[in-house]
């Protein structure tokens, strides 16, 4: 199949106002995906006939978000060339990190002038999800409360985190408030790579390489980090073997 093949079916509900902008994280080196990333960036690795980047952008557009900011670093020219062939209906801006890889947190800080001052969606381009009964991005938007939240993460139960090798990331209380997995313990929920963040989370933060985990910890300490559960399929597509397993499961569905 072509990398521009028809995307999998997406059900755009519940009906909720969605963020105006999505940040798609696509600047990583993709070391675990080698040799597939020897000549192409990880977001351009194909799963089920479509690139990981296109899977993510398809869902952003289907949810009703009109603009996406995509950061680039490794093999940035290839990513930019690919983005020029995207179908209409989504305004795409590039945040250039060619000079220095800024990791997840620093990459967002650099892109903030393009993102704006309203809450925004963030999507990791190396994860793949299929919506269940509702569109997961719109479900996040319906739950997000800017008065009480700085971060709202889409989570999947560890038992349904396909191709994932970790012990889980978070615990969640009855209100959806998050806490971290303790060292050497298990946690029931895994982060899917999809979230809504408030720009206030980045107030006073310098444009330096750092992980978004640092700001999550601040939000958790303040009681302003929340989660909701994804009810569809989710795949941690981090290795060549995971690509094959994800494709087999998608084919069986």
């Amino acid at each position: 199949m072509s990398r521009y093949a028809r995307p999998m079916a997406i059900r755009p509900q519940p009906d909720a106002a969605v963020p105006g902008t999505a940040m798609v994280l696509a600047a990583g080196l993709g070391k675990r995906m080698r040799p597939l990333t020897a000549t192409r960036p990880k977001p351009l690795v194909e799963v089920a006939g479509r690139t990981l980047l296109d899977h993510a952008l398809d869902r952003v557009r289907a949810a009703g978000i009109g603009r996406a900011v995509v950061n680039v670093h490794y093999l940035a020219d290839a990513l930019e060339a690919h983005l020029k062939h995207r179908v209409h209906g989504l305004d795409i801006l590039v945040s250039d990190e060619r000079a220095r890889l800024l990791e997840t947190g620093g990459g967002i800080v650099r892109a903030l002038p393009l993102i704006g001052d309203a809450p925004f969606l963030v999507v990791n381009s190396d994860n793949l999800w299929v919506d269940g009964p509702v569109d997961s991005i719109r479900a996040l938007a319906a739950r997000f409360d800017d008065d009480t939240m700085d971060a709202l993460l889409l989570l999947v139960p560890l038992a349904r985190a396909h191709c994932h090798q970790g012990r889980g990331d978070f615990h969640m209380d009855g209100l959806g408030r998050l806490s971290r997995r303790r060292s050497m313990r298990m946690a029931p929920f895994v982060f899917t790579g999809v979230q809504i963040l408030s720009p206030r989370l980045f107030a006073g933060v310098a444009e330096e390489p750092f992980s978004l985990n640092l700001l999550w910890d601040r939000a958790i300490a303040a009681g302003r980090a929340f989660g909701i559960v994804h009810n569809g399929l989710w795949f941690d597509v981090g290795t060549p073997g995971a690509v094959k397993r994800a494709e087999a499961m998608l084919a069986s569905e």
Side-chain angles (χ1 to χ4, degrees):
M1 294 177 64
S2 164
R3 68 182 179 186
Y4 301 111
R6 183 179 178 181
M8 289 173 285
I10 302 167
R11 288 180 285 276
Q13 46 182 307
D15 193 14
V18 296
T21 302
M23 173 79 188
V24 180
L25 299 173
L29 299 175
K31 293 181 178 180
R32 291 192 304 135
M33 191 67 88
R34 290 177 180 170
L36 297 181
T37 51
T39 58
R40 58 183 160 177
K42 185 176 180 180
L44 297 189
V45 170
E46 292 188 8
V47 179
R50 199 160 180 80
T51 70
L52 287 168
L53 179 59
D54 283 328
H55 281 297
L57 292 173
D58 288 341
R59 275 153 180 72
V60 167
R61 185 182 60 176
I65 295 174
R67 182 172 62 168
V69 178
V70 181
N71 65 342
V72 299
H73 173 76
Y74 176 61
L75 298 177
D77 290 348
L79 273 170
E80 288 197 275
H82 182 86
L83 289 170
K84 289 179 181 178
H85 290 88
R86 281 288 307 179
V87 296
H88 297 293
L90 186 63
D91 183 21
I92 298 177
L93 305 176
V94 172
S95 180
D96 195 336
E97 294 180 29
R98 284 176 172 85
R100 180 171 61 160
L101 182 61
L102 293 169
E103 302 183 37
T104 53
I108 294 175
V109 172
R110 181 173 180 80
L112 282 176
L114 301 175
I115 293 171
D117 57 3
F120 57 98
L121 181 78
V122 180
V123 177
N124 294 359
S125 63
D126 57 355
N127 296 313
L128 174 65
W129 79 95
V130 179
D131 287 324
V134 298
D135 181 291
S136 295
I137 292 175
R138 293 199 179 188
L140 275 171
R143 177 69 179 90
F144 186 77
D145 179 2
D146 194 38
D147 291 335
T148 61
M149 300 176 185
D150 290 336
L152 178 63
L153 281 58
L154 184 67
L155 307 175
V156 66
L158 179 59
R160 292 197 287 108
H162 301 298
C163 308
H164 185 71
Q165 302 298 318
R167 298 186 176 190
D169 300 315
F170 296 103
H171 297 270
M172 185 165 54
D173 69 16
L175 297 177
R177 193 175 290 112
L178 300 182
S179 58
R180 287 282 194 179
R181 175 181 64 84
R182 295 182 180 179
S183 178
M184 305 306 294
R185 301 288 183 88
M186 304 288 285
F189 296 106
V190 173
F191 175 52
T192 64
V194 185
Q195 59 189 315
I196 292 178
L197 301 178
S198 169
R200 81 170 64 87
L201 193 60
F202 300 86
V205 179
E207 186 183 302
E208 298 289 343
F210 72 93
S211 170
L212 197 52
N213 280 286
L214 174 65
L215 300 186
W216 282 347
D217 286 341
R218 291 183 185 177
I220 289 171
R224 296 183 62 86
F226 289 76
I228 65 169
V229 178
H230 174 57
N231 290 315
L233 293 173
W234 179 82
F235 303 90
D236 182 353
V237 190
T239 65
V243 171
K244 294 180 180 178
R245 291 194 296 274
E247 288 181 327
M249 290 193 66
L250 289 169
S252 69
E253 290 292 325

